[in-house]
Amino acid sequence: MSERWLGEAVKVAGLPPPRAFPRNIVPDALAVLPVSFVPLEAVTSSAVRAYFARRRLSPALEEDAAQTMHGCMVAFCGKGFLFYARHDAPDEQRFTLAHELAHFVLDHLQPRKKAQAFFGDSILDVLNDQRLPTREELLTSALDGVPTKVQVHLMERDAVGSIDTGQVARSEQRADRLAFEWLAPESVAMPVLKQDPQGEQASRLQQTFGLPPSKAETYARVLRQRDGSPRFSLAVFLGEEGPR
C-alpha cells in the first residue's frame, strides 16, 4: 500500500486489521466510527427519505429517479448512514458496505477532521450547518471541499447504468480501492494472488476474500499492475509462454 492518500484514509478510519476472511466489516466499523448500517428492501432515494421521515429527520435529499442501487451513503454533522440492499447476495453486501463506508471516510470524515485540526472545535458549528463561516474562515483554503451540509452519495449513472462523469469515476475508484484494502489488504492479497496462474487469480480472490466476481477481477488487475506485471502480454495471448 504505497498510495499516500490510501494510507491516510486507513489511518483516519482506524479500523483494526481483519481477524478472518471473508471479513465482516460491520462490527469493526461500529466500534470506531460514527456510522449506522441500514438494510432496505430496495435502496432508492424515496426509500432513504422515508427512513429519515420515520425518525423525524429531514436531511435535504435531492429528487432522483426510482433507480434501485446496491447502496447509498448519507452523512451530516459527522455521522454517516450507510444503506444497503437487504436481499443482495452476501458478497455484494460485503463490498457495498465497505464501499459506502469508504465514501463516508474519504468524502465526509476526512475533510471534517482536516478543518477541525486547522481551526479547532470552533469550526464544528460551521461544519454542522449551525452558523455561517466568518470572513477569515472563508478566506482560508482549509475549508476547501469540507462538507458543511447534508452529504449524499448516490452513484451518478447514465441510462445504461455506467458511471457518467470523470469526477464521479475517480471518486468511485478511490472508494473501491479503500474498500479493497479493508476487505483484502494488499499485503495479504498479493501472496494469495501469486498462488495461481493469471486466468485463475480473480477466482482465488473471490473465494478467499468473499468479493463479488466483477470486483475480484478488478482487484486482480490492480494487484498485477502494482506487482509490475503487464496488463497485456502478447506472448501470453499468443500462447508462447504461460501466464504469471
Side-chain angles (χ1 to χ4, degrees), residues 32-147:
V32 297
L33 291 171
V35 294
S36 297
F37 293 92
V38 184
L40 295 176
E41 292 298 312
V43 182
T44 63
S45 54
S46 59
V48 171
R49 281 194 295 271
Y51 170 87
F52 286 114
R54 289 193 298 270
R55 286 153 183 80
R56 298 183 179 180
L57 298 171
S58 54
L61 305 179
E62 295 182 3
E63 291 291 334
D64 193 26
Q67 177 183 354
T68 301
M69 299 163 287
H70 287 300
C72 168
M73 184 276 291
V74 178
F76 52 94
C77 298
K79 180 172 176 59
F81 296 84
L82 312 179
F83 299 89
Y84 65 98
R86 185 192 305 274
H87 299 297
D88 271 358
D91 58 352
E92 289 288 356
Q93 286 188 1
R94 181 177 298 108
F95 193 81
T96 295
L97 294 171
H99 178 91
E100 298 304 334
L101 184 65
H103 274 293
F104 172 73
V105 171
L106 292 169
D107 303 334
H108 191 79
L109 185 64
Q110 235 178 335
R112 284 174 62 93
K113 284 185 174 292
K114 173 186 172 183
Q116 191 174 359
F118 187 90
F119 291 107
D121 291 345
S122 63
I123 201 65
L124 289 177
D125 286 344
V126 176
L127 302 183
N128 295 339
D129 200 23
Q130 295 175 353
R131 70 169 175 86
L132 295 174
T134 65
R135 177 179 175 83
E136 290 74 16
E137 289 167 344
L138 284 173
L139 289 175
T140 178
S141 62
L143 279 181
D144 285 352
V146 179

Side-chain angles (χ1 to χ4, degrees), residues 211-222:
L211 301 176
S214 63
K215 295 302 181 181
E217 290 280 359
T218 298
Y219 197 32
R221 289 196 300 270
V222 169

Side-chain angles (χ1 to χ4, degrees), residues 151-164:
Q151 194 172 15
V152 181
H153 165 247
L154 295 173
M155 187 182 294
E156 297 179 26
R157 293 179 179 272
D158 61 21
V160 296
S162 59
I163 296 172
D164 196 25

Side-chain angles (χ1 to χ4, degrees), residues 14 18 188:
V188 180

